[in-house]
Amino acid sequence: MARPASSRTDVLLAAGLALLAVAIYASTLGFDFVGFDDDAYVRHNPVVGRGLTPDLARYAFSVQIANWHPLTFYSHALDVELFGLAPAGHHAVNVALHALATALLFGLLRSATGARWRSAFAAALFAVHPLHAEVVAWVSQRKTLLCAVFGFAALWAWVAWTRTRRRTWLAASVASLGVGLLAKPMLVSVPLLALLLDAWPLGRVRDAASLARCALEKLVFVVPVAAVAAATLFAQRSMDAMAPLGLDAFLRASLPNAVLGLAWYVGKAVWPVGLAAHYPHPYLPSAGGVPPSALALVVALAVVVGASGVAWAARRRAPWLGFGWAWLVVALLPVLGLVQVGTQGVADRYAYVPLVGLFVAAAWGGDALLRALRVPRPAAAALAACVVAAFGVAAHVQASHWRSSLALYRRAVDVSPRDVAMLFNLGNAELARGDVDEAERLYRRALAIHPASSPAQLNLAELLRERGRADDRAESIALYRSVLVARPGNRRARRARGARRARAVSASPSRAVGRAGLVAGAVAAVALV
């Protein structure tokens, strides 16, 4: 395929797509930080909160928040240097990065395929899809935005190298991938994504020999990918963020959830309703998720197998279908939960890069369908504009749920009423605004679903202790004891036990003095008699 010549039209299209992304999310500049990770990454982070200081290097390149992503911390620290801890500046950078990622995606697709308007439509879907609202509106997802920007740049440089064979492009591709991996390890799939581009649209894979040759070319990516993968596994294991591995757990929980997840992402790409910040894992009792029925599993499996079958059958006359489906699966592999990290089953943020595959399939497939139906080009353009506008409105509404912690957690609980983590977080938010009774009710709801939830037990115990009623104190002591039975080293529970003992010791001398006075009075009375 001939390399498309750059033109003023392409530049204007890229700029227009970037402005579209900005328009959808401009309202986030008025949003606050949220208690969901923003405190740990920025607002209450003692190192990042001081900006670009000498201490940042040691902190950023060590294991933090169950992960290893030094570039992410440098990006947040630079924001603090520029804007302080005012959230507007941090949100503005997120929006700017989303706009840049949109423009880069258009450039990548335009360069690889030569198709201007189909590339523009796929990039427009990327700019406005509601599943992406979480990444843009949530300051803590800076890592995903950086990951996408450098990932798209790496693949664009790879396309340029395949056409020119200039080593500078190859070096730029490897360097971009390396930098992106420092933001988020999800880019470990880039070598396989580059191989997909080789197959279509570049047409470099024609037989087994060319496939082997293209695969060997990807060895240049092995060192950064392997290094970051090892660092990430070490970080998550060292912080106990990774669920224990086992064949039984894999077959009963991880594999079914992966199949459900793939079907879920496809469904939400087409009909993005009921979105929230957290979806509890259906097979983790501690998360509060609801296990699906056998019928739901069968339907999910049918979607996955059916999509794979259609993509394979149409590989010659509609190669973009296979490309789109394979891109989705490959890009999602690191986050499908085959190795479970956290309590979520799926997540909106995980779809940011993977959905590009479905957007490409929609753009090329929609164009082929409209041509087959002989729909006039103006009508086709109007239909595309309506789709983009509808998704854009939905994305704007979805982003509004991130305006504050309270709004975010209420939305999550509305979507998943049994979500233990979000019930607990909503309880904290209600307590912070002074509604003690509502906070108690939410903690008790979380404990009714997962009685062994230590965070909910501790917060409820402290709430009851502060209230100070006799029956509350007894329940508080019981809750602390329950935490210590399950987690003997828990510092909060041990401190509370130590405080009670100190109060007991401080009260004992006065009781001894009282007993001595009673004895002395009795002796005096006997002597008088």
Side-chain angles (χ1 to χ4, degrees), residues 2-63:
R3 181 183 179 186
S6 59
S7 68
R8 181 177 298 179
T9 303
D10 293 334
V11 174
L12 290 175
L13 269 175
L17 289 164
L19 288 174
L20 173 64
V22 171
I24 296 298
Y25 294 107
S27 61
T28 64
L29 272 65
F31 292 1
D32 197 359
F33 292 117
V34 294
F36 197 36
D37 279 2
D38 284 354
D39 288 345
Y41 276 97
V42 184
R43 184 164 49 180
H44 296 155
N45 188 305
V47 178
V48 172
R50 293 197 296 270
L52 299 173
T53 63
D55 294 338
L56 183 62
R58 180 172 56 84
Y59 177 85
F61 282 90
S62 59
V63 175

Short mmCIF file of all heavy atoms in Angstrom, two decimals, residues 2-63:
data_model
loop_
_atom_site.label_atom_id
_atom_site.label_comp_id
_atom_site.label_asym_id
_atom_site.label_seq_id
_atom_site.Cartn_x
_atom_site.Cartn_y
_atom_site.Cartn_z
N ALA A 2 0.58 2.19 -0.86
CA ALA A 2 1.41 3.39 -0.95
C ALA A 2 1.27 4.24 0.29
O ALA A 2 0.21 4.31 0.89
CB ALA A 2 0.99 4.19 -2.20
N ARG A 3 2.36 4.87 0.62
CA ARG A 3 2.36 5.74 1.80
C ARG A 3 1.58 7.00 1.49
O ARG A 3 1.84 7.68 0.50
CB ARG A 3 3.80 6.08 2.17
CG ARG A 3 3.90 6.96 3.39
CD ARG A 3 5.34 7.33 3.64
NE ARG A 3 5.46 8.20 4.79
CZ ARG A 3 6.60 8.77 5.17
NH1 ARG A 3 7.70 8.53 4.48
NH2 ARG A 3 6.65 9.54 6.21
N PRO A 4 0.60 7.36 2.29
CA PRO A 4 -0.19 8.55 2.02
C PRO A 4 0.62 9.82 2.25
O PRO A 4 1.38 9.94 3.20
CB PRO A 4 -1.33 8.45 3.05
CG PRO A 4 -0.77 7.64 4.15
CD PRO A 4 0.18 6.67 3.52
N ALA A 5 0.45 10.75 1.34
CA ALA A 5 1.15 12.02 1.50
C ALA A 5 0.43 12.86 2.53
O ALA A 5 -0.79 12.91 2.58
CB ALA A 5 1.17 12.74 0.15
N SER A 6 1.24 13.51 3.39
CA SER A 6 0.64 14.39 4.38
C SER A 6 0.08 15.62 3.67
O SER A 6 0.54 16.02 2.61
CB SER A 6 1.69 14.80 5.41
OG SER A 6 2.76 15.47 4.77
N SER A 7 -0.92 16.19 4.23
CA SER A 7 -1.54 17.35 3.60
C SER A 7 -2.10 18.27 4.67
O SER A 7 -2.24 17.89 5.83
CB SER A 7 -2.65 16.92 2.64
OG SER A 7 -3.72 16.38 3.39
N ARG A 8 -2.44 19.44 4.24
CA ARG A 8 -3.06 20.39 5.16
C ARG A 8 -4.37 19.85 5.69
O ARG A 8 -4.73 20.09 6.84
CB ARG A 8 -3.28 21.72 4.44
CG ARG A 8 -3.90 22.79 5.32
CD ARG A 8 -4.03 24.11 4.60
NE ARG A 8 -2.74 24.64 4.22
CZ ARG A 8 -2.57 25.80 3.56
NH1 ARG A 8 -3.62 26.50 3.19
NH2 ARG A 8 -1.37 26.20 3.24
N THR A 9 -5.09 19.09 4.87
CA THR A 9 -6.36 18.50 5.31
C THR A 9 -6.14 17.58 6.49
O THR A 9 -6.91 17.59 7.46
CB THR A 9 -7.03 17.74 4.15
OG1 THR A 9 -7.22 18.62 3.05
CG2 THR A 9 -8.36 17.15 4.58
N ASP A 10 -5.09 16.77 6.43
CA ASP A 10 -4.79 15.86 7.54
C ASP A 10 -4.47 16.62 8.82
O ASP A 10 -4.93 16.26 9.91
CB ASP A 10 -3.61 14.95 7.19
CG ASP A 10 -3.95 13.98 6.07
OD1 ASP A 10 -5.15 13.66 5.91
OD2 ASP A 10 -3.03 13.56 5.36
N VAL A 11 -3.70 17.68 8.68
CA VAL A 11 -3.35 18.48 9.85
C VAL A 11 -4.60 19.11 10.45
O VAL A 11 -4.81 19.11 11.68
CB VAL A 11 -2.32 19.57 9.48
CG1 VAL A 11 -2.07 20.50 10.66
CG2 VAL A 11 -1.01 18.93 9.03
N LEU A 12 -5.46 19.64 9.59
CA LEU A 12 -6.69 20.25 10.08
C LEU A 12 -7.62 19.22 10.73
O LEU A 12 -8.27 19.49 11.74
CB LEU A 12 -7.41 20.96 8.93
CG LEU A 12 -6.73 22.22 8.39
CD1 LEU A 12 -7.48 22.74 7.17
CD2 LEU A 12 -6.65 23.29 9.47
N LEU A 13 -7.67 18.03 10.13
CA LEU A 13 -8.48 16.96 10.72
C LEU A 13 -7.96 16.57 12.10
O LEU A 13 -8.74 16.39 13.05
CB LEU A 13 -8.50 15.74 9.80
CG LEU A 13 -9.62 15.66 8.77
CD1 LEU A 13 -9.41 14.45 7.86
CD2 LEU A 13 -10.98 15.57 9.45
N ALA A 14 -6.65 16.42 12.22
CA ALA A 14 -6.06 16.06 13.51
C ALA A 14 -6.37 17.13 14.55
O ALA A 14 -6.72 16.82 15.71
CB ALA A 14 -4.55 15.86 13.37
N ALA A 15 -6.25 18.41 14.14
CA ALA A 15 -6.55 19.50 15.07
C ALA A 15 -8.02 19.50 15.45
O ALA A 15 -8.38 19.72 16.62
CB ALA A 15 -6.16 20.83 14.44
N GLY A 16 -8.88 19.26 14.48
CA GLY A 16 -10.32 19.22 14.77
C GLY A 16 -10.69 18.10 15.70
O GLY A 16 -11.52 18.27 16.61
N LEU A 17 -10.09 16.94 15.52
CA LEU A 17 -10.34 15.81 16.42
C LEU A 17 -9.86 16.11 17.83
O LEU A 17 -10.52 15.75 18.82
CB LEU A 17 -9.65 14.56 15.87
CG LEU A 17 -10.28 13.97 14.60
CD1 LEU A 17 -9.32 12.99 13.94
CD2 LEU A 17 -11.60 13.27 14.93
N ALA A 18 -8.72 16.76 17.93
CA ALA A 18 -8.21 17.14 19.25
C ALA A 18 -9.15 18.13 19.93
O ALA A 18 -9.44 18.02 21.13
CB ALA A 18 -6.80 17.74 19.13
N LEU A 19 -9.66 19.10 19.16
CA LEU A 19 -10.61 20.07 19.73
C LEU A 19 -11.91 19.41 20.14
O LEU A 19 -12.53 19.79 21.14
CB LEU A 19 -10.88 21.18 18.72
CG LEU A 19 -9.73 22.17 18.48
CD1 LEU A 19 -10.08 23.13 17.35
CD2 LEU A 19 -9.41 22.94 19.76
N LEU A 20 -12.33 18.38 19.39
CA LEU A 20 -13.53 17.63 19.76
C LEU A 20 -13.33 16.97 21.12
O LEU A 20 -14.22 17.02 21.99
CB LEU A 20 -13.82 16.57 18.70
CG LEU A 20 -14.94 15.58 19.00
CD1 LEU A 20 -16.28 16.30 19.10
CD2 LEU A 20 -14.99 14.48 17.94
N ALA A 21 -12.17 16.37 21.32
CA ALA A 21 -11.88 15.74 22.61
C ALA A 21 -11.89 16.77 23.74
O ALA A 21 -12.42 16.51 24.83
CB ALA A 21 -10.52 15.04 22.54
N VAL A 22 -11.33 17.93 23.48
CA VAL A 22 -11.31 19.00 24.50
C VAL A 22 -12.73 19.45 24.81
O VAL A 22 -13.09 19.67 25.99
CB VAL A 22 -10.45 20.18 24.02
CG1 VAL A 22 -10.60 21.36 24.97
CG2 VAL A 22 -8.98 19.76 23.95
N ALA A 23 -13.54 19.62 23.79
CA ALA A 23 -14.92 20.11 23.99
C ALA A 23 -15.72 19.17 24.87
O ALA A 23 -16.51 19.60 25.73
CB ALA A 23 -15.60 20.31 22.64
N ILE A 24 -15.55 17.87 24.68
CA ILE A 24 -16.32 16.89 25.45
C ILE A 24 -15.97 16.96 26.93
O ILE A 24 -16.84 16.85 27.81
CB ILE A 24 -16.06 15.46 24.92
CG1 ILE A 24 -16.55 15.32 23.49
CG2 ILE A 24 -16.72 14.42 25.82
CD1 ILE A 24 -18.02 15.53 23.31
N TYR A 25 -14.69 17.19 27.23
CA TYR A 25 -14.22 17.07 28.62
C TYR A 25 -13.79 18.39 29.25
O TYR A 25 -13.18 18.39 30.32
CB TYR A 25 -13.06 16.07 28.68
CG TYR A 25 -13.49 14.67 28.35
CD1 TYR A 25 -13.14 14.07 27.14
CD2 TYR A 25 -14.28 13.94 29.23
CE1 TYR A 25 -13.56 12.79 26.83
CE2 TYR A 25 -14.71 12.67 28.92
CZ TYR A 25 -14.35 12.10 27.73
OH TYR A 25 -14.77 10.82 27.42
N ALA A 26 -14.10 19.51 28.62
CA ALA A 26 -13.72 20.81 29.19
C ALA A 26 -14.32 21.01 30.57
O ALA A 26 -13.72 21.66 31.45
CB ALA A 26 -14.14 21.93 28.25
N SER A 27 -15.49 20.45 30.82
CA SER A 27 -16.16 20.63 32.12
C SER A 27 -15.37 20.03 33.27
O SER A 27 -15.55 20.44 34.42
CB SER A 27 -17.55 20.00 32.08
OG SER A 27 -17.46 18.60 31.84
N THR A 28 -14.47 19.07 32.99
CA THR A 28 -13.72 18.44 34.08
C THR A 28 -12.77 19.41 34.76
O THR A 28 -12.30 19.13 35.86
CB THR A 28 -12.91 17.22 33.56
OG1 THR A 28 -11.93 17.65 32.62
CG2 THR A 28 -13.83 16.21 32.91
N LEU A 29 -12.47 20.55 34.12
CA LEU A 29 -11.58 21.52 34.75
C LEU A 29 -12.20 22.10 36.02
O LEU A 29 -11.49 22.68 36.85
CB LEU A 29 -11.24 22.65 33.77
CG LEU A 29 -10.02 22.38 32.86
CD1 LEU A 29 -10.28 21.22 31.92
CD2 LEU A 29 -9.66 23.63 32.07
N GLY A 30 -13.50 21.96 36.19
CA GLY A 30 -14.16 22.42 37.41
C GLY A 30 -14.34 21.32 38.44
O GLY A 30 -14.95 21.56 39.49
N PHE A 31 -13.81 20.12 38.17
CA PHE A 31 -13.98 19.00 39.09
C PHE A 31 -12.92 19.03 40.19
O PHE A 31 -11.84 19.60 40.03
CB PHE A 31 -13.87 17.67 38.35
CG PHE A 31 -15.00 17.39 37.38
CD1 PHE A 31 -16.02 18.32 37.18
CD2 PHE A 31 -15.03 16.21 36.65
CE1 PHE A 31 -17.05 18.06 36.29
CE2 PHE A 31 -16.06 15.94 35.77
CZ PHE A 31 -17.07 16.87 35.58
N ASP A 32 -13.23 18.36 41.28
CA ASP A 32 -12.30 18.23 42.40
C ASP A 32 -11.46 16.97 42.21
O ASP A 32 -11.70 16.16 41.30
CB ASP A 32 -13.10 18.14 43.71
CG ASP A 32 -12.25 18.42 44.94
OD1 ASP A 32 -11.03 18.66 44.80
OD2 ASP A 32 -12.82 18.39 46.05
N PHE A 33 -10.45 16.79 43.05
CA PHE A 33 -9.84 15.48 43.19
C PHE A 33 -10.88 14.54 43.83
O PHE A 33 -11.78 15.00 44.53
CB PHE A 33 -8.60 15.53 44.09
CG PHE A 33 -7.43 16.27 43.52
CD1 PHE A 33 -6.96 17.42 44.13
CD2 PHE A 33 -6.79 15.82 42.37
CE1 PHE A 33 -5.88 18.12 43.62
CE2 PHE A 33 -5.71 16.51 41.85
CZ PHE A 33 -5.25 17.66 42.47
N VAL A 34 -10.72 13.24 43.60
CA VAL A 34 -11.60 12.28 44.27
C VAL A 34 -10.76 11.43 45.22
O VAL A 34 -9.55 11.27 45.05
CB VAL A 34 -12.34 11.38 43.26
CG1 VAL A 34 -13.31 12.19 42.42
CG2 VAL A 34 -11.37 10.62 42.37
N GLY A 35 -11.44 10.88 46.23
CA GLY A 35 -10.73 10.07 47.22
C GLY A 35 -10.28 8.73 46.69
O GLY A 35 -9.55 8.01 47.36
N PHE A 36 -10.71 8.37 45.50
CA PHE A 36 -10.41 7.09 44.87
C PHE A 36 -9.05 7.19 44.18
O PHE A 36 -8.95 7.50 43.00
CB PHE A 36 -11.52 6.77 43.87
CG PHE A 36 -11.59 5.33 43.44
CD1 PHE A 36 -11.31 4.29 44.31
CD2 PHE A 36 -11.96 5.01 42.15
CE1 PHE A 36 -11.39 2.97 43.90
CE2 PHE A 36 -12.05 3.69 41.73
CZ PHE A 36 -11.76 2.67 42.61
N ASP A 37 -7.97 6.98 44.92
CA ASP A 37 -6.57 6.99 44.44
C ASP A 37 -5.95 8.37 44.28
O ASP A 37 -4.72 8.48 44.32
CB ASP A 37 -6.41 6.23 43.12
CG ASP A 37 -6.33 4.73 43.32
OD1 ASP A 37 -6.43 4.28 44.48
OD2 ASP A 37 -6.18 4.00 42.33
N ASP A 38 -6.74 9.43 44.04
CA ASP A 38 -6.13 10.75 43.86
C ASP A 38 -5.36 11.19 45.10
O ASP A 38 -4.35 11.89 44.99
CB ASP A 38 -7.20 11.79 43.53
CG ASP A 38 -7.68 11.69 42.09
OD1 ASP A 38 -7.11 10.89 41.33
OD2 ASP A 38 -8.63 12.41 41.72
N ASP A 39 -5.83 10.81 46.29
CA ASP A 39 -5.11 11.15 47.50
C ASP A 39 -3.73 10.50 47.51
O ASP A 39 -2.72 11.13 47.87
CB ASP A 39 -5.89 10.69 48.74
CG ASP A 39 -7.12 11.54 48.98
OD1 ASP A 39 -7.22 12.63 48.39
OD2 ASP A 39 -7.99 11.13 49.77
N ALA A 40 -3.68 9.22 47.13
CA ALA A 40 -2.42 8.48 47.16
C ALA A 40 -1.45 8.98 46.09
O ALA A 40 -0.23 9.05 46.33
CB ALA A 40 -2.68 6.99 46.98
N TYR A 41 -1.96 9.32 44.92
CA TYR A 41 -1.08 9.75 43.83
C TYR A 41 -0.66 11.21 43.94
O TYR A 41 0.47 11.56 43.59
CB TYR A 41 -1.77 9.54 42.49
CG TYR A 41 -1.64 8.13 41.96
CD1 TYR A 41 -2.65 7.20 42.14
CD2 TYR A 41 -0.51 7.72 41.27
CE1 TYR A 41 -2.54 5.90 41.66
CE2 TYR A 41 -0.38 6.43 40.78
CZ TYR A 41 -1.40 5.52 40.98
OH TYR A 41 -1.27 4.24 40.51
N VAL A 42 -1.58 12.08 44.40
CA VAL A 42 -1.29 13.51 44.33
C VAL A 42 -1.58 14.23 45.64
O VAL A 42 -0.68 14.72 46.31
CB VAL A 42 -2.10 14.18 43.18
CG1 VAL A 42 -1.72 15.66 43.06
CG2 VAL A 42 -1.87 13.46 41.86
N ARG A 43 -2.85 14.32 46.00
CA ARG A 43 -3.29 15.29 47.01
C ARG A 43 -2.62 15.09 48.35
O ARG A 43 -2.21 16.05 48.99
CB ARG A 43 -4.81 15.23 47.15
CG ARG A 43 -5.38 16.27 48.10
CD ARG A 43 -6.87 16.46 47.94
NE ARG A 43 -7.61 15.21 47.94
CZ ARG A 43 -8.94 15.14 47.81
NH1 ARG A 43 -9.64 16.27 47.67
NH2 ARG A 43 -9.56 13.98 47.82
N HIS A 44 -2.52 13.83 48.81
CA HIS A 44 -1.90 13.57 50.12
C HIS A 44 -0.60 12.79 49.99
O HIS A 44 -0.17 12.15 50.95
CB HIS A 44 -2.89 12.81 51.02
CG HIS A 44 -4.11 13.60 51.34
ND1 HIS A 44 -5.31 13.02 51.69
CD2 HIS A 44 -4.34 14.94 51.36
CE1 HIS A 44 -6.22 13.97 51.91
NE2 HIS A 44 -5.64 15.14 51.71
N ASN A 45 0.00 12.83 48.81
CA ASN A 45 1.29 12.16 48.61
C ASN A 45 2.40 13.10 49.06
O ASN A 45 2.59 14.16 48.46
CB ASN A 45 1.47 11.79 47.13
CG ASN A 45 2.70 10.92 46.90
OD1 ASN A 45 3.80 11.28 47.27
ND2 ASN A 45 2.50 9.78 46.27
N PRO A 46 3.14 12.75 50.12
CA PRO A 46 4.10 13.69 50.69
C PRO A 46 5.28 14.00 49.77
O PRO A 46 5.91 15.06 49.91
CB PRO A 46 4.58 12.97 51.96
CG PRO A 46 4.32 11.52 51.70
CD PRO A 46 3.11 11.47 50.85
N VAL A 47 5.60 13.12 48.84
CA VAL A 47 6.72 13.36 47.93
C VAL A 47 6.25 14.10 46.68
O VAL A 47 6.78 15.15 46.32
CB VAL A 47 7.42 12.03 47.56
CG1 VAL A 47 8.56 12.28 46.58
CG2 VAL A 47 7.93 11.32 48.80
N VAL A 48 5.24 13.56 46.01
CA VAL A 48 4.71 14.21 44.80
C VAL A 48 4.17 15.60 45.13
O VAL A 48 4.31 16.54 44.33
CB VAL A 48 3.60 13.34 44.18
CG1 VAL A 48 2.90 14.07 43.04
CG2 VAL A 48 4.19 12.02 43.69
N GLY A 49 3.59 15.75 46.32
CA GLY A 49 3.02 17.03 46.72
C GLY A 49 4.02 18.16 46.88
O GLY A 49 3.64 19.32 46.99
N ARG A 50 5.33 17.81 46.86
CA ARG A 50 6.37 18.86 46.93
C ARG A 50 6.91 19.22 45.56
O ARG A 50 7.78 20.08 45.45
CB ARG A 50 7.51 18.39 47.83
CG ARG A 50 7.12 18.25 49.30
CD ARG A 50 8.36 18.19 50.18
NE ARG A 50 9.18 17.02 49.91
CZ ARG A 50 9.05 15.84 50.52
NH1 ARG A 50 8.10 15.68 51.43
NH2 ARG A 50 9.83 14.83 50.23
N GLY A 51 6.41 18.57 44.52
CA GLY A 51 6.85 18.90 43.16
C GLY A 51 8.12 18.16 42.77
O GLY A 51 8.42 17.07 43.27
N LEU A 52 8.89 18.76 41.87
CA LEU A 52 10.10 18.14 41.33
C LEU A 52 11.28 18.36 42.28
O LEU A 52 12.12 19.24 42.08
CB LEU A 52 10.40 18.69 39.94
CG LEU A 52 9.33 18.45 38.87
CD1 LEU A 52 9.67 19.19 37.58
CD2 LEU A 52 9.18 16.96 38.59
N THR A 53 11.35 17.57 43.30
CA THR A 53 12.42 17.66 44.30
C THR A 53 13.41 16.51 44.11
O THR A 53 13.12 15.52 43.44
CB THR A 53 11.82 17.58 45.72
OG1 THR A 53 11.20 16.29 45.89
CG2 THR A 53 10.77 18.67 45.93
N PRO A 54 14.60 16.61 44.74
CA PRO A 54 15.58 15.52 44.62
C PRO A 54 15.07 14.18 45.16
O PRO A 54 15.51 13.12 44.71
CB PRO A 54 16.77 16.03 45.45
CG PRO A 54 16.64 17.52 45.41
CD PRO A 54 15.17 17.79 45.40
N ASP A 55 14.14 14.22 46.11
CA ASP A 55 13.62 12.98 46.69
C ASP A 55 12.75 12.20 45.71
O ASP A 55 12.50 11.01 45.90
CB ASP A 55 12.77 13.29 47.94
CG ASP A 55 13.60 13.87 49.06
OD1 ASP A 55 14.82 13.66 49.05
OD2 ASP A 55 13.01 14.53 49.94
N LEU A 56 12.29 12.88 44.65
CA LEU A 56 11.31 12.25 43.76
C LEU A 56 11.90 11.04 43.03
O LEU A 56 11.20 10.05 42.82
CB LEU A 56 10.80 13.28 42.76
CG LEU A 56 9.71 12.79 41.80
CD1 LEU A 56 8.46 12.38 42.56
CD2 LEU A 56 9.36 13.88 40.77
N ALA A 57 13.17 11.11 42.63
CA ALA A 57 13.75 10.02 41.85
C ALA A 57 13.72 8.71 42.63
O ALA A 57 13.29 7.67 42.11
CB ALA A 57 15.18 10.37 41.44
N ARG A 58 14.18 8.74 43.86
CA ARG A 58 14.19 7.51 44.66
C ARG A 58 12.78 7.00 44.88
O ARG A 58 12.53 5.79 44.83
CB ARG A 58 14.87 7.80 46.01
CG ARG A 58 14.95 6.58 46.93
CD ARG A 58 15.80 6.92 48.15
NE ARG A 58 15.30 8.09 48.85
CZ ARG A 58 14.32 8.05 49.75
NH1 ARG A 58 13.72 6.91 50.03
NH2 ARG A 58 13.93 9.15 50.36
N TYR A 59 11.84 7.90 45.11
CA TYR A 59 10.46 7.50 45.34
C TYR A 59 9.83 6.93 44.06
O TYR A 59 9.23 5.86 44.06
CB TYR A 59 9.65 8.70 45.81
CG TYR A 59 8.17 8.42 46.01
CD1 TYR A 59 7.70 7.88 47.20
CD2 TYR A 59 7.25 8.69 45.00
CE1 TYR A 59 6.35 7.61 47.39
CE2 TYR A 59 5.91 8.43 45.17
CZ TYR A 59 5.45 7.90 46.37
OH TYR A 59 4.13 7.63 46.52
N ALA A 60 9.98 7.65 42.94
CA ALA A 60 9.30 7.27 41.70
C ALA A 60 9.80 5.93 41.16
O ALA A 60 9.03 5.16 40.59
CB ALA A 60 9.49 8.36 40.65
N PHE A 61 11.09 5.65 41.33
CA PHE A 61 11.65 4.42 40.77
C PHE A 61 11.61 3.26 41.75
O PHE A 61 12.23 2.23 41.50
CB PHE A 61 13.08 4.66 40.29
CG PHE A 61 13.14 5.37 38.96
CD1 PHE A 61 13.19 6.76 38.90
CD2 PHE A 61 13.12 4.64 37.78
CE1 PHE A 61 13.23 7.41 37.67
CE2 PHE A 61 13.16 5.29 36.55
CZ PHE A 61 13.22 6.68 36.49
N SER A 62 10.89 3.40 42.84
CA SER A 62 10.68 2.29 43.77
C SER A 62 9.23 1.83 43.66
O SER A 62 8.41 2.44 42.98
CB SER A 62 11.00 2.71 45.21
OG SER A 62 10.18 3.80 45.60
N VAL A 63 8.91 0.73 44.32
CA VAL A 63 7.56 0.17 44.28
C VAL A 63 6.63 1.06 45.11
O VAL A 63 6.84 1.26 46.30
CB VAL A 63 7.54 -1.26 44.82
CG1 VAL A 63 6.11 -1.79 44.87
CG2 VAL A 63 8.41 -2.17 43.95
#
